[in-house]
Amino acid sequence: MSTETPQTSPERENGPVQEERNDTATSTADRRRWLALAIVMTAAFMDLVDVTIVNIAIPRMREDLGASTSAIQWITAGYALAFAAGLITGGRLGDIYGRKRLFLIGISGFTAASLLCGIAPNPDVLVASRILQGGMAAMMVPQVLAIIHVTFPPHERGKVFGMFGAIVGLGAVSGPMLGALLTEWNILGLEWRPIFLINLPVGIAGVLLGRKFISESKAPKALRLDLVGVVLATLGLVMLIFPLTHGRENDWPLWGFLCMGAVPFVFAGFIAYEKYKIKKDGSPLVELSLFKVKSFAGGVTVQLTFGIATGIFFLVWTLYMQMGLGWSALKSGATGIPFSLAVSAAAGISVQKLVPRFGRKVLQAGALVMAAGLLLYIWESEHYGMEITSWQMAAPLVLMGLGMGLIIAPLTDTVLSEVPREHAGSASGLINTTGQMGNALGLALTSVVYFGVIDKDVLFGPPYVEAFRTALWWVVAVLVVIFAVMFVLPRKAVPMDQREGGTAHAPEPVAEKVPVG
């Protein structure tokens, strides 16, 4: 009998199909591919938890290391920026040099960076280690979905990607509580450091098992690298984010405004180079023709602004509970559970039931429900003041979670709805990259909308509560913008088999990093 090995898909789109001639070999191949799936999903879970686990421990990091407000922002923004900058390049490196090879490099580097984070003696080392961690995640994460794609035949991928979605949801729910428990337990007197050190045994096991059970694969016609494009795009973002993050602590110096003023020229140079790259070898970092599709351009704007909103909210929410109200990490983590559960519930309903019937109205309703939750949170924070309890926060958090779930689950497919099928992969990667860039920008903007209304010498107490309410008004304003921009999205998502270019090959799902808690 003839069966496919886990190295290829039956369409032969990632290399020749190898055949086995006996049931024993088939059974062995079957076991290997499920072990490979467990390995890459564990790595994805480790990365997702690392995003959600950090926020809950930030107040302890600040207290232990004496970190400045800008260092607090860079601990999270640095990771998001490095991840966003390297995401597309990481995927292409895997296509060129091998997904298994890049996965092993990524997980090895991620594990080493986690060790550096866990032993960091000062804020500067911690920030640098987090940036390295984000860059290594950008090498590792794109290979996870690619390895799944070439390991399983089409009739099994739906089930496998469903399992992957469950892992994503579990990471979002478990991260804050795991971070809170590890911080509160103060294992061996290490306080917050175990949230990073816990990655070491998982990462080492992933490297050893991955070498044995993951099969290598490459793309037959991989696009070339666009390192100049990566440098220009990253430079533009850093020139915007660095002054926003450090400007307040330095009394907004002139160099900061000059940097931000030069950003449009850097991005203009980036666009010009991308046009040149298209003519030269057809391998730009960003496929500029995608922005001629009105719904895609609007969708990327939604993803960017939504990243800004979540970047602001999740950081200031953590600081509000721990540094404003004086709650423990464990109490703060437990408070976020209703939010996480609401996101998961609404995400499933929106994709399966609501979006096929109501289209973009579901996403717009999500923006309005989130805004309503924020307004209720603002009212409760004013009404109850320092005496507010976790159960009183449950109602606004559930509303916000429901709204977010209605947006994040169907957004990618809705944005891709009118994109030609041959560009679906590039468009999907760009959507995820844009969301991470928005998240990094939102974290940088907390200097203006949150720390900007707190006296520099205040470390705890009511000023953090007042600043929280101020920041939430900004997030509400961003959600209003998102609601308006969503009008350019298609009224209804176009079915895959009706999209431009004939029978469409569905893009692989993208892991959304939502820093819950």
Side-chain angles (χ1 to χ4, degrees), residues 5 17 85 106 239 286 301 342 413 433 453 456 486-487:
T5 70
V17 174
M239 289 175 65
V286 174
T301 304
D413 192 56
T433 299
V453 297
K456 293 180 182 179
M486 282 179 177
F487 277 105

Side-chain angles (χ1 to χ4, degrees), residues 236-504:
L237 284 168
V238 171
M239 289 175 65
L240 178 61
I241 290 172
F242 190 85
L244 284 174
T245 304
H246 291 271
R248 170 182 170 271
E249 292 184 349
N250 293 281
D251 296 321
W252 299 106
L254 177 62
W255 62 261
F257 291 102
L258 292 175
C259 276
M260 290 187 285
V263 169
F265 298 100
V266 175
F267 280 118
F270 169 75
I271 293 172
Y273 181 80
E274 292 301 280
K275 291 180 178 179
Y276 162 77
K277 185 72 171 171
I278 291 171
K279 294 178 180 179
K280 180 183 178 183
D281 57 23
S283 297
L285 180 68
V286 174
E287 182 60 54
L288 297 178
S289 64
L290 289 170
F291 292 92
K292 296 179 181 179
V293 181
K294 182 181 176 182
S295 59
F296 177 80
V300 167
T301 304
V302 170
Q303 190 79 332
L304 179 71
T305 49
F306 192 70
I308 292 172
T310 57
I312 294 172
F313 175 77
F314 288 115
L315 177 59
V316 304
W317 182 36
T318 298
L319 297 177
Y320 161 65
M321 289 186 288
Q322 295 189 51
M323 302 183 73
L325 301 176
W327 291 2
S328 67
L330 186 58
K331 184 176 181 179
S332 301
T335 300
I337 292 176
F339 174 89
S340 299
L341 295 176
V343 171
S344 299
I349 295 172
S350 66
V351 172
Q352 297 173 17
K353 304 291 184 181
L354 299 179
V355 171
R357 183 175 179 182
F358 300 106
R360 76 176 181 212
K361 292 179 181 178
V362 176
L363 284 81
Q364 290 180 302
L368 294 179
V369 172
M370 275 195 75
L374 287 165
L375 292 173
L376 179 58
Y377 215 155
I378 293 170
W379 179 85
E380 285 193 353
S381 179
E382 280 192 85
H383 183 73
Y384 297 109
M386 299 292 288
E387 304 303 317
I388 193 170
T389 63
S390 291
W391 71 265
Q392 288 166 334
M393 292 184 185
L397 288 175
V398 167
L399 278 176
M400 290 182 61
L402 292 173
M404 180 175 286
L406 294 177
I407 295 173
I408 61 171
L411 179 58
T412 297
D413 192 56
T414 302
V415 175
L416 292 173
S417 182
E418 296 178 349
V419 171
R421 71 178 182 89
E422 63 268 22
H423 295 314
S426 298
S428 183
L430 185 57
I431 291 168
N432 198 31
T433 299
T434 304
Q436 295 302 315
M437 290 178 176
N439 189 257
L441 182 56
L443 289 162
L445 285 170
T446 57
S447 278
V448 179
V449 304
Y450 184 72
F451 293 112
V453 297
I454 300 174
D455 188 277
K456 293 180 182 179
D457 298 324
V458 175
L459 295 178
F460 298 97
Y464 283 85
V465 177
E466 179 61 34
F468 174 68
R469 290 195 288 267
T470 301
L472 290 198
W473 281 112
W474 283 93
V475 179
V476 170
V478 173
L479 286 168
V480 171
V481 172
I482 291 172
F483 173 82
V485 175
M486 282 179 177
F487 277 105
V488 304
L489 297 178
R491 291 181 181 272
K492 291 284 184 70
V494 180
M496 279 286 178
D497 58 357
Q498 297 178 21
R499 294 183 185 180
E500 184 178 333
T503 303

Side-chain angles (χ1 to χ4, degrees), residues 110-120 129 133 196-197 199-200:
F110 188 90
T111 305
S114 297
L115 174 61
L116 294 176
C117 290
I119 63 175
S129 301
Q133 203 179 31
F196 296 113
L197 298 177
N199 290 336
L200 269 60

Side-chain angles (χ1 to χ4, degrees), residues 100-110 136 139-140 207:
K100 174 182 177 179
R101 179 181 297 179
L102 264 292
F103 175 81
L104 293 175
I105 291 172
I107 194 172
S108 299
F110 188 90
M136 291 298 101
M139 298 296 104
M140 176 178 69
V207 172

